[in-house]
Amino acid sequence: MSDPVAEKSGFLRKYMSGHPDTLVAYAKWFGKVREPITSAEMTRIDTKNGTKKEVHVPIDPPLKGYEDVKPRLLDMKATAQEKLGMMGAQRGMSLRDWFTQ
């Protein structure tokens, strides 16, 4: 059975590479990285759980399909940045906001 998120992970990795602060927040909060880090890279994303010290960032509950990716990643960004004191939460962005950031 094919993985609908993994099939598009190339696009997602490229897009997220333009959001280094979000990737650092994901690694620190969801990946539980406690030591100081200044950069992070998304190496893959799939429905089984998202993954150069490799840190596995759990996506819980697991993604059901590609349509779950955008809202979940935006929610994870807001949660991580809020919990880390990086900025106020930005939730519920529109599709236009997603592609114009």
Side-chain angles (χ1 to χ4, degrees):
M1 182 175 196
S2 68
D3 184 320
V5 176
E7 290 172 6
K8 294 180 174 83
S9 71
F11 165 78
L12 295 166
R13 287 191 332 265
K14 183 176 179 179
Y15 179 82
M16 291 305 297
S17 70
H19 298 277
D21 58 328
T22 299
L23 293 173
V24 167
Y26 288 167
K28 290 175 90 172
W29 184 256
F30 294 105
K32 300 183 182 355
V33 173
R34 301 295 175 233
E35 64 270 12
I37 61 171
T38 58
S39 66
E41 177 183 31
M42 179 181 282
T43 59
R44 72 177 189 212
I45 183 168
D46 56 43
T47 59
K48 294 165 187 57
N49 272 334
T51 284
K52 216 158 172 193
K53 168 183 172 185
E54 192 164 316
V55 174
H56 176 78
V57 174
I59 298 179
D60 189 34
L63 297 165
K64 293 178 184 166
Y66 186 72
E67 66 281 354
D68 291 345
V69 172
K70 176 189 154 246
R72 187 73 59 79
L73 290 179
L74 287 173
D75 188 58
M76 289 174 65
K77 172 187 177 180
T79 298
Q81 289 181 338
E82 184 178 11
K83 298 289 186 181
L84 293 166
M86 294 173 72
M87 66 185 340
Q90 281 189 328
R91 297 179 192 261
M93 295 177 67
S94 71
L95 185 58
R96 179 179 296 151
D97 295 334
W98 173 259
F99 288 105
T100 59
Q101 279 192 337

